[in-house]
Every structure is written in C-alpha cells, then in structure tokens.
Amino acid sequence: MGAPKSPASSAVRWSFGIATLLAVGGVATAQSGAGDGQDGRTQARPVFALDHHMLRTVCLDLLGRPPLPEERAEWLDKDLRDFLKQTTSGLEFWEHWLEEQLYFFLLIDNFRPENEGVKAVPEKLFEGRLNPREAVHRIVLSPSFELRNPGADTFVTVVMEQLAGMRVQKRIRDLEIGKALYDGKPGTFLKHHGDSQADVVKICVESKDFAREFISREYERMLHRAGPKKPLSSWSRSFHKDPAEYRDLVRTWMTSEEYMRRLEEQHPLSNRAFVNALHVDLLGRMPTRAEAEPMREALDGLGDSAPLRSILARLLLDSGRVRVPSKGELSSRRDWAASLFPRFFGREASVTELDAICEALDEPSCQPSTILYALLSHPEYHRF
Amino acid sequence: MTLRSNRRDVLKLGAAAGALTGLGGWGLAQDGRGRTQSTPAMEGDEAPTVKRVIFIAMAGGVRTRETFGTPANVPNLQMMADDGVLYPRMRTSNLGHFGATMSIFTGISEARGIRDNARGTDPTMFEYLRKDLGLRQSDVWVTTSGGPQQTNYSYSVHPDYGPKYGANTLDGDGIFNKEFKELLDTYGRPKAMEESEQDLLDKVRRGIGRTEDKAENAAATENAAKVERYILEELTRGTSTLRGANSGDAKALRVARNLVSLFKPKMTGVVLQNADIAHGSFNGYSEVIRRNDEAIGEIWTAVKEDPELADSTAIFVLPEFGRNKDLNSRRGLDHGDGSDDLRYVSGVAWGPGFGKGRVVKDDVRTIDAMYSACDALGASPELAKGQKLKRLLA
Ligand SMILES: [Zn+2]
C-alpha cells in the first residue's frame, strides 16, 4: 500500500552487469560480489544468475516474501529462468496471486471471502482447472464482494472501474444501464444483452477491457511501472484469447529488459510483504494467517507505518521465538554481521558498515539483538 | 526565495499594515509565529484566535433528514450549531465515498474510483498546514475508520507537497482491535529500551546504508518515537474494546479525543465511514448517526473542559455527501439518484470568532470547509478550488 516511489527517485546502488546478461547467450560473465566488497574477480555463471539481490527481489515480486533459507541455499548462482519455471508452477504462486487480487478489490479484514468457491481458487489454478479470468469472476461473484459494494450504484460502478478500468463519470449512460440490469431489468450493457446483477459482472469480466486492465495491472504490480504500450496490447490480446497463458506472460516479464531495470531500483515494501519478510527473515518461515493478518491490518491503519513496523520487529525479537545468538556464542562478530546483509538487505555489507557494527558490539550494552533491530528498522529494510 | 515564501511575506506585510491602519472591518493578525489570520478588527479586546482545528468528515453518506432534520438524532451537533454556524445547503459531488471525502481534504472535486487505493495528486489540507505553518508531523493527525484506503488522505503525491508534509494517520479499528491486542499479549509487549541501548541503536543505524537514509532516519526518529509510545499506551486504554454498529467510527473519534487531550495537535482530522451501513439498514444507519453524535459530543466536551483548548479550538463537521431520497428494496438507502438529499448536506462550524447560532441558508460547498479551516489557522491552500465558507465569522 501507499504511494509507489517513483523509479527516478530510487537510488541505483548495485550494478548487475545487465547489459552483459542481456547481450550474451549461454554463459555470461558476471561480477561475483556487490557493493564495496567487489574485488573485480569474475567467474562463470549462467545467464540471469541469481545473486542475493535478484533472488530476494524476485521472490518478493512473485511471492510477496523474501527467499526462505533453503531457497537461498538451493538457488544462489542458479538460473533465474529455472527458478521462475519452478516457482510459477507451484501452489504458493497462486496463493499469493489470490491474496493480491483480494487486496486489490479491498476484500480484506471483515470483507475477506470465506466461501469455498474463493478458498479453492489457488488449488484449482494450480491444477489448471481454472484460469485467472475465471478466478477473478469467482471473486467478484462472492457474497463478500456484494457486501463490500452494496447497492446498485456502488456495485456497478466498482465492477466497471475495477474490472474494466472505466471512469464511470465519463460513462454515465452505461452506468445507468448497468444499474437497471442489476435491478433485474433487461438492457444492452456494453454492447451485450443482460438482465441481472450476474450479467453485469459476466459482461465486464469477459470484455477485452478486462483483459487490458488486468494485464496492465498485473504488469505494474510485478514490475512497478506502467507496461510498454504496444507489447501490452499484444499481451492483452493473447490473454483475452487464452487466459491460461498468464503464467507464460509472467515468466516473459520477469526476464525482460524492463525487469532488469526494475532490479536496479528500490521500491517500498508493502505492509503485507513486510510482515512476511519479518517472519521469513527472523523465523525462517512464513507467518500463519492468524499471525499475519492482525499485523498487516494494524500497519495498514497507519499513513506512515514505520513506527509500528519498529514495534513489531522489536516484539518478535523480544518474544523469545527468534533464535538470537548471545555475544559469547559469536565466534567471529564480523562474520556474523556480514551474514546479516545478504539475508536482510539482499546485498553484501561494506567494510565501513561492518566496522560500525563491530564497534557497536564492543560496547558492553550492545547485544546482537540490538544489531538485528537496527537493521530491521532501517529504511533499507523497508525497500526492495 | 520561492514564490510561496514571497507570498507569505506579502501577507505578513499586509498584516503589519492592517494592524497599523486598522483598515475596514477585518484585519490580518499574527500570533507571533509568523502566522497570519483573518480576525475581526476589535477595539481594545484581543481578537479571538483559532489555534487548533478539529475537522470531522462525517463520511459514509449522511442525509440532512437524519441529522438536523431529526434533531433528536444529533443533540450534540444541534447544540454546536446553536453556538456556532450551521450550513444546511452544502453542495457535494457524488464521486463515491473515497473521491468525495478526498475532495473535502483537497478542496478539489475530482473523480476517483470507489476502490482506488492510492494517494491523490492534489495536496491535502494537512500538507498545506504543515508546509505553510512549518508544523511538525506530530502537530497534524488524522484518525480514520475505513481501513487502508483512508490512510491515503494523509498526503498526496504532489511534487511541491507530498510525504514530507504528511499527517500522522491512524485507523482506529485497524490498530486498536481485539486481534491485534491479543497478538501483542501473546508475544509479550516489547521491552522498554535503555537509553544507552537507544544511543547505540542510533549509532548503528547511522553507520548503515546510503547518505539519504541517514537524513531520513534522523527526521523520522522524533515523530516515530512519539507515535510508538502513543500506540502502545492507547492499546491499554480500552479503545480496542469499543463495540457496536459504529465501532470503527467510535474508535476513530475516541482516538481523536485522546490525541486532542494528550498532544493538543494543531490539526486533528477525523474520517468516519460506518453510516454507509445504510445500504442495507436504515435503522442501523440512524443508530450510527446517534452514536457518532454522542462521541462528537465527548470531543466537544473535552475541548470545552480543557482551559488550553476551550477558547482556541475550532470544530468543523460535515458529511461527504448524502443519500438517495427513497429507500431501496432492502429498506436501506443507497447513493446515486442525483436527488437533493444526495447532493446537499448540512455542516456545522464552531469556534472562537465564529458566528453564534447562525444558519447560513446560502449554498456553499463541502470543499469550502477545508479552505476555512486552513484560513483560520493561517495557511493558504493555494491549489484548492473552494473558497472561505460564507458568513462564518462573527
Ligand atoms: Zn456507500
């Protein structure tokens, strides 16, 4: 949630040798390190080789969470394309997809759909028994959507706006016809005949406008920028024809030149991703819904959630659930500090950063948890 | 020097000139912090000045028929009107709850999607106040009731304003709810940090990351510490246990009342939403109005009983739009028929130097209220399209 930071204002801190990656087929030469720790050594790695930064960013963009410890162990230096293939074929990809759709429709908190039809969406998408268009259709037909958008005016307006990307103030006549359909009167709505509330939804969700709106929204969600016009219309056309192609589109986007540019930027971490990140980075697992939702809801309740994010980080650190080593257990403070940066920030630490941490740890009152808290409440942790 | 600061300087000069020459019925006065404001030119007596504003967007769609048309529903608002100024003909724009409420804060009627969940492009009243008056974030608060969408009211993406002039925004129900409180109880409250550890923490943070982050860190620290402390304290005060049809609104109003008493902010905005239950239940809607009136009454009492606030606080209350003329098939009230019940609402303004017991029958607009609120505090919402509320001042 919140204002997306404009790419122009984001710092470009790391170079990934992207031009090289894009230009060379087969095996490319890429820098092994990042930040101040670079020493110019090179080693043979696959094209789109996953480093800490890329792995963290791709995971957050695709799954709404950072990589799990086992994923870091498995995928570092491997090919992004293989990772994408595996990830987008999994159930978790669709579980996260559903969460994002529900959030877009603001079907959250008390309005979260609890009907079986919606709950079964990820499983059915995973098994290929549903496509994303049919899944959105299900969501919009859920009783929660009706509750969230009560009355003809609100319901038809939201369906036209959110499904078909229309500004109703410029489509007053269509709105009025849609409202008549909603009330059970027959009419021609957006060139199609209908006579019910369900028809309003069906006509919108099956329209080309939906395909265009959905594809551009999804592109923007994952790449943090508006899609390029021409490709966008061709993607929309192919999605309209065969919505099951959605996953292939996602893979194409995530290996595009545009995505490589996105990797050079920093974008704000949403509250829901922050909650997941906190659990994954500290506990090595995703939060349960019961753990995540009250945190997310509370964070969403603040225009600037930074103060509450700090409270939550401290809460988790002080809870006794996180395994924080004591000072005495650290055989090398510097190595321990260095291990935190790839894990929390997706990059190596600089020499000065490690100096600052080691110097702080020399103070008797500084505990390893102080360092963890400093990193988790640092602005860099809240971007990706 | 920017155009804006030039303009402010001109205003200041105007103030000095006004004071010197005692021109006309209205002069401009300064309060010693460089602010200028319109005040009645009074001989001898010190002009009453507005130092703080509480601005309540009674959003969710509320018709005049159920407010000042049924005084039994709103005894407190009625008393406030009897001691202030009532505007029974405030024109609204039916832009959906989100767009219409946003326009109350920006002073510009602009279409937005009902479920848009993004910052607006026009600066809000809160940004004007912070920028023009040099207020800290902790001086400007907004409490809301409608979940994540409403936190977008705290600031816009306007290049000359934006997040650095944003208000602290708290959604009462989002934070002070049973589930979150239980979660905190399960995990255990965070331990208080010792001063030496806090210093170390700041030192480590300063040693990490880019230069810009260091500035961001420093600026955010003071406000963040205040907000952190406030949230943890509020969680022990019982706001989380408020129940009923208006529980979201009740929490927004309770949080506002506590903020007003504790921090005495220059601006406390409140955004309500629960009246929208009207789509499905007229009775529920009337109940929400009655309960919200009671909670607004509590804020008003808190103001009147606090010597620091009593003579220097202004209150504005207005809905974002009304509702349809006729009940729907569920015996509820939707919004979208274009009737006068939808397009005109009643708003009230109360404060030092404002009229007393005055009913302004002329048409005004909901977007005018923010203009008057800014004006009362000495800020000028340069991009807003509204104007000062007619006949507001005594
Ligand atoms: Zn409504």
Side-chain angles (χ1 to χ4, degrees):
Chain A
M1 219 217 54
K5 209 168 194 169
S6 93
S9 71
S10 306
V12 178
R13 286 180 300 164
W14 304 295
S15 157
F16 296 96
I18 282 157
T20 320
L21 284 173
L22 290 169
V24 186
V27 174
T29 302
Q31 298 271 325
S32 62
D36 297 354
Q38 285 182 4
D39 61 6
R41 279 181 299 127
T42 57
Q43 62 185 70
R45 300 167 80 199
V47 180
F48 300 118
L50 287 158
D51 61 11
H52 283 293
H53 174 68
M54 198 192 279
L55 184 59
R56 187 173 177 87
T57 312
V58 172
C59 276
L60 280 162
D61 280 331
L62 272 189
L63 304 172
R65 60 155 177 83
L68 298 165
E70 54 271 26
E71 285 170 330
R72 275 189 277 128
E74 186 186 342
W75 285 101
L76 269 183
D77 291 332
K78 304 274 170 52
D79 198 313
L80 167 67
R81 290 168 301 186
D82 295 333
F83 180 74
L84 289 173
K85 205 166 174 186
Q86 179 161 324
T87 310
T88 57
S89 305
L91 177 63
E92 191 186 358
F93 173 74
W94 292 114
E95 286 170 338
H96 175 65
W97 180 88
L98 175 64
E99 293 302 317
E100 291 297 305
Q101 305 307 313
L102 295 182
Y103 201 85
F104 169 72
F105 290 113
L106 288 174
L107 297 178
I108 50 177
D109 309 331
N110 298 334
F111 294 107
R112 191 184 168 88
E114 294 297 347
N115 59 320
E116 280 312 311
V118 173
K119 277 184 174 170
V121 157
E123 191 87 39
K124 287 203 182 317
L125 283 162
F126 169 64
E127 290 163 357
R129 289 192 287 144
L130 207 65
N131 66 46
R133 182 168 62 201
E134 291 162 339
V136 170
H137 197 166
R138 269 190 188 214
I139 294 168
V140 178
L141 287 181
S142 71
S144 303
F145 189 88
E146 164 84 25
L147 268 177
R148 169 92 252 196
N149 304 295
D153 194 72
T154 304
F155 187 91
V156 179
T157 301
V158 171
V159 167
M160 287 171 70
E161 286 176 347
Q162 289 204 289
L163 293 187
M166 293 168 181
R167 263 285 172 248
V168 291
Q169 282 80 5
K170 292 181 184 153
R171 315 278 297 241
I172 298 292
R173 209 176 147 261
D174 293 321
L175 173 65
E176 291 308 317
I177 299 170
K179 281 160 69 175
L181 259 66
Y182 179 97
D183 288 331
K185 294 175 197 125
T188 305
F189 176 58
L190 306 175
K191 296 184 188 155
H192 291 271
H193 178 79
D195 59 8
S196 67
Q197 184 182 354
D199 285 342
V200 172
V201 176
K202 186 170 186 290
I203 291 167
C204 279
V205 90
E206 288 179 356
S207 68
K208 282 186 182 150
D209 289 324
F210 170 75
R212 201 197 50 235
E213 185 62 16
F214 175 77
I215 288 300
S216 57
R217 164 159 67 83
E218 288 291 272
Y219 184 93
E220 209 163 323
R221 173 165 76 82
M222 283 176 250
L223 281 85
H224 309 268
R225 70 221 320 108
K229 253 192 172 164
K230 261 195 180 164
L232 208 55
S233 39
S234 110
W235 296 328
S236 307
R237 270 197 308 276
S238 63
F239 175 81
H240 184 65
K241 237 194 287 168
D242 183 8
E245 274 185 19
Y246 169 79
R247 238 172 11 186
D248 299 331
L249 288 177
V250 172
R251 288 181 199 143
T252 310
W253 298 342
M254 303 297 280
T255 47
S256 67
E257 207 166 326
E258 286 292 287
Y259 193 72
M260 296 304 126
R261 275 195 206 105
R262 177 268 174 273
L263 285 170
E264 293 180 30
E265 301 157 0
Q266 295 276 289
H267 292 274
L269 199 63
S270 68
N271 288 326
R272 46 202 189 282
F274 169 78
V275 172
N276 292 343
L278 202 57
H279 283 80
V280 169
D281 291 337
L282 288 180
L283 301 171
R285 63 162 176 87
M286 278 286 273
T288 62
R289 180 120 74 80
E291 287 170 330
E293 275 302 287
M295 288 191 182
R296 197 272 311 145
E297 188 185 349
L299 291 168
D300 275 353
L302 283 161
D304 169 10
S305 61
L308 191 52
R309 287 186 183 198
S310 294
I311 293 180
L312 294 179
R314 216 160 69 227
L315 191 77
L316 218 57
L317 283 170
D318 290 353
S319 68
R321 297 173 188 221
V322 181
R323 163 94 188 90
V324 184
S326 69
K327 244 186 199 177
E329 283 177 88
L330 299 177
S331 50
S332 161
R333 290 177 183 178
R334 208 172 178 84
D335 288 352
W336 177 75
S339 74
L340 302 174
F341 281 74
R343 186 166 132 209
F344 294 159
F345 294 167
R347 67 172 173 92
E348 305 293 341
S350 70
V351 174
T352 47
E353 287 171 331
L354 292 179
D355 288 345
I357 291 178
C358 291
E359 198 182 306
L361 281 168
D362 285 342
E363 302 271 343
S365 60
C366 184
Q367 296 303 319
S369 61
T370 318
I371 304 298
L372 292 176
Y373 180 51
L375 295 181
L376 294 170
S377 57
H378 190 276
E380 188 171 335
Y381 189 72
H382 304 268
R383 299 187 300 256
F384 73 115
Chain B
M1 187 180 280
T2 63
L3 186 66
R4 276 201 70 73
S5 65
N6 270 329
R7 185 160 175 238
R8 279 209 297 276
D9 288 347
V10 171
L11 278 171
K12 283 180 198 168
L13 283 172
L20 280 171
T21 56
L23 283 171
W26 298 99
L28 288 156
Q30 278 186 269
D31 70 355
R33 286 188 295 275
R35 304 182 317 170
T36 59
Q37 56 195 68
S38 305
T39 53
M42 298 169 86
E43 278 177 25
D45 294 331
E46 205 185 312
T49 51
V50 175
K51 291 185 181 151
R52 295 176 184 84
V53 168
I54 299 168
F55 192 101
I56 302 173
M58 204 162 59
V62 179
R63 303 194 299 190
T64 295
R65 282 206 235 184
E66 284 73 51
T67 55
F68 293 95
T70 312
N73 278 352
V74 290
N76 290 292
L77 285 175
Q78 186 61 59
M79 276 193 282
M80 205 183 275
D82 292 344
D83 198 37
V85 186
L86 175 66
Y87 294 92
R89 294 272 301 170
M90 276 190 152
R91 193 147 40 85
T92 71
S93 340
N94 183 16
L95 300 167
H97 299 292
F98 183 62
T101 308
M102 178 83 88
S103 71
I104 286 184
F105 293 119
T106 59
I108 299 176
S109 297
E110 213 178 305
R112 306 222 171 267
I114 291 185
R115 301 280 167 247
D116 272 6
N117 188 6
R119 307 276 172 194
T121 46
D122 306 310
T124 62
M125 160 166 88
F126 314 112
E127 293 162 82
Y128 289 124
L129 290 172
R130 282 200 60 200
K131 189 172 181 184
D132 278 14
L133 309 181
L135 299 181
R136 291 168 305 176
Q137 191 169 6
S138 52
D139 281 329
V140 181
W141 290 76
V142 190
T143 70
T144 66
S145 156
Q149 241 186 333
Q150 292 190 344
T151 56
N152 289 306
Y153 301 141
S154 60
Y155 60 83
S156 67
V157 293
H158 193 284
D160 297 336
Y161 293 86
K164 66 173 183 283
Y165 299 112
N168 275 321
T169 309
L170 277 170
D171 187 82
D173 199 31
I175 303 167
F176 307 114
N177 60 57
K178 193 173 124 262
E179 290 75 16
F180 188 59
K181 194 167 180 289
E182 277 171 7
L183 187 110
L184 293 194
D185 292 342
T186 312
Y187 280 64
R189 301 293 163 100
K191 293 179 204 116
M193 200 169 278
E194 282 175 28
E195 212 174 297
S196 58
E197 200 181 355
Q198 182 67 51
D199 290 345
L200 271 168
L201 192 70
D202 294 341
K203 207 167 131 191
V204 177
R205 281 195 194 131
R206 279 197 303 273
I208 300 169
R210 345 178 280 205
T211 327
E212 304 93 287
D213 290 340
K214 287 164 193 165
E216 200 181 314
N217 260 330
T221 304
E222 185 216 344
N223 183 58
K226 214 168 184 175
V227 177
E228 259 189 66
R229 217 173 32 246
Y230 169 73
I231 291 171
L232 289 173
E233 280 167 16
E234 188 67 61
L235 279 161
T236 63
R237 280 196 199 103
T239 305
S240 314
T241 56
L242 290 171
R243 295 274 178 278
N246 76 328
S247 65
D249 289 356
K251 288 175 189 180
L253 289 162
R254 173 71 60 84
V255 168
R257 191 196 70 185
N258 292 345
L259 287 170
V260 165
S261 301
L262 283 171
F263 296 139
K264 301 184 169 41
K266 298 283 179 210
M267 162 60 72
T268 308
V270 186
V271 190
L272 306 180
Q273 185 63 40
N274 291 151
D276 205 32
I277 191 179
H279 284 289
S281 163
F282 179 82
N283 291 342
Y285 156 73
S286 303
E287 178 66 14
V288 168
I289 293 172
R290 282 193 289 271
R291 285 180 179 230
N292 284 349
D293 174 79
E294 205 180 309
I296 291 170
E298 283 174 21
I299 295 182
W300 193 29
T301 304
V303 166
K304 287 188 291 188
E305 287 177 352
D306 187 324
E308 219 185 305
L309 302 174
D311 301 322
S312 60
T313 304
I315 302 179
F316 293 80
V317 186
L318 65 153
E320 88 284 39
F321 52 66
R323 309 198 76 88
N324 289 358
K325 189 160 111 330
D326 300 315
L327 291 175
N328 61 25
S329 55
R330 299 177 301 276
R331 293 199 52 74
L333 278 172
D334 297 328
H335 41 83
D337 68 352
S339 65
D340 274 8
D341 283 275
L342 173 67
R343 290 170 51 234
Y344 287 90
V345 294
S346 295
V348 62
W350 173 89
F354 291 5
K356 292 214 178 292
R358 182 181 293 162
V359 179
V360 179
K361 294 200 173 122
D362 302 349
D363 279 15
V364 295
R365 290 176 298 172
T366 49
I367 58 170
D368 295 339
M370 65 79 76
Y371 204 102
S372 281
C374 286
D375 183 63
L377 288 168
S380 60
E382 55 178 0
L383 301 170
K385 300 272 195 283
Q387 54 189 20
K388 283 184 230 174
L389 285 167
K390 288 177 195 167
R391 301 183 57 221
L392 172 65
L393 302 172

